[in-house]
């Protein structure tokens, strides 16, 4: 099994460069090494967790340290705790954070219905194994676009709230019919 390994100190690397901080939950040593090499080549900062339990622990530690991951690449079948259970635990714990971490399923199961199973389990996207650079690149690109859109929505909401307040609307959600 793969032990949790950090490409560089996660906390020290947080915020540097334009790459994402990516947790890779993968029990197969070769797949983990390939994923790490690919992500580093793409300019990202990967951390490897060898099973779902280690992934949940790494997510919690990064969150507690104030250096949350931007994305998780989650193998679906792993020992100790599989990717579905790990995703469920992360989703449960993040309810208190107000943040929704994109989790991309990685699985050798590319059968009909597997994609839907991953999405219904709370995963953001689905990448079939063997891992292909283009598919990982596209999933990361989609996540970056979603992060950018969320930031734009947050900025726009603050702008609207500020404008409403400046016009004398104290409780701005009422202006949108949200009581």
């Amino acid at each position: 099994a793969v032990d949790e390994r950090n490409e560089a100190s996660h906390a020290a690397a947080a915020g540097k460069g334009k790459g994402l901080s990516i947790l890779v939950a993968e029990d197969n040593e070769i797949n983990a090494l390939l994923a790490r090499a690919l992500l580093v080549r793409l300019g990202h900062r990967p951390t490897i967790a060898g099973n779902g339990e280690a992934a949940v622990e790494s997510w919690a530690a990064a969150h507690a340290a104030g250096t949350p991951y931007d994305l998780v690449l989650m193998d679906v079948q792993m020992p100790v705790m599989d990717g579905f259970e790990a995703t469920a635990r992360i989703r449960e714990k993040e309810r208190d954070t107000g943040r929704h971490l994109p989790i991309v399923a990685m699985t050798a199961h590319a059968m009909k219905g597997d994609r839907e199973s991953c999405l219904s389990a709370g995963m953001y996207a689905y990448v079939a194994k063997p891992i292909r650079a283009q598919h990982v690149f596209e999933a990361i690109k989609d996540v970056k676009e979603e992060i950018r859109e969320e930031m734009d929505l947050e900025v726009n909401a603050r702008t609207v709230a500020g404008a409403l307040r400046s016009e004398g609307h104290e409780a701005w959600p009422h202006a949108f019919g949200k009581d």
Side-chain angles (χ1 to χ4, degrees):
V2 178
D3 292 328
E4 185 175 332
R5 288 172 288 184
N6 219 340
E7 188 61 29
S9 169
H10 178 71
K16 291 185 179 177
K18 293 184 180 183
L20 299 175
S21 176
I22 300 175
L23 176 59
V24 179
E26 172 61 66
D27 66 309
N28 181 286
E29 182 101 21
I30 292 171
N31 288 343
L33 293 172
L34 288 172
R36 181 174 52 184
L38 171 64
L39 293 169
V40 168
R41 192 174 68 217
L42 292 172
H44 302 295
R45 300 176 312 278
T47 298
I48 307 297
N51 61 59
E53 184 175 69
V56 173
E57 290 170 1
S58 185
W59 172 86
H63 181 75
T67 57
Y69 292 106
D70 298 308
L71 169 71
V72 176
L73 295 176
M74 183 76 74
D75 185 11
V76 172
Q77 288 190 317
M78 294 181 286
V80 183
M81 182 186 297
D82 68 24
F84 292 112
E85 178 65 23
T87 297
R89 296 235 181 129
I90 289 171
R91 293 292 180 239
E92 179 182 316
K93 291 179 182 214
E94 72 183 356
R95 285 184 196 147
D96 298 331
T97 69
R99 189 170 189 264
H100 187 76
L101 176 67
I103 298 176
V104 176
M106 297 188 305
T107 181
H109 297 129
M111 299 170 68
K112 188 174 186 172
D114 287 335
R115 180 179 184 278
E116 289 75 22
S117 295
C118 292
L119 297 178
S120 68
M123 297 177 183
Y124 172 82
Y126 171 92
V127 176
K129 290 181 182 178
I131 297 171
R132 290 188 171 80
Q134 185 61 34
H135 295 155
V136 172
F137 176 78
E138 288 169 7
I140 292 170
K141 180 181 166 205
D142 289 347
V143 167
K144 280 184 162 183
E145 287 175 11
E146 180 176 296
I147 291 169
R148 192 174 309 117
E149 287 173 10
E150 285 177 6
M151 290 173 66
D152 288 345
L153 285 173
E154 187 175 315
V155 168
N156 288 338
R158 286 185 192 150
T159 302
V160 168
L164 289 171
R165 270 192 232 106
S166 70
E167 293 178 12
H169 297 281
E170 292 293 321
W172 69 272
H174 297 291
F176 295 102
K178 303 196 187 255
D179 295 324

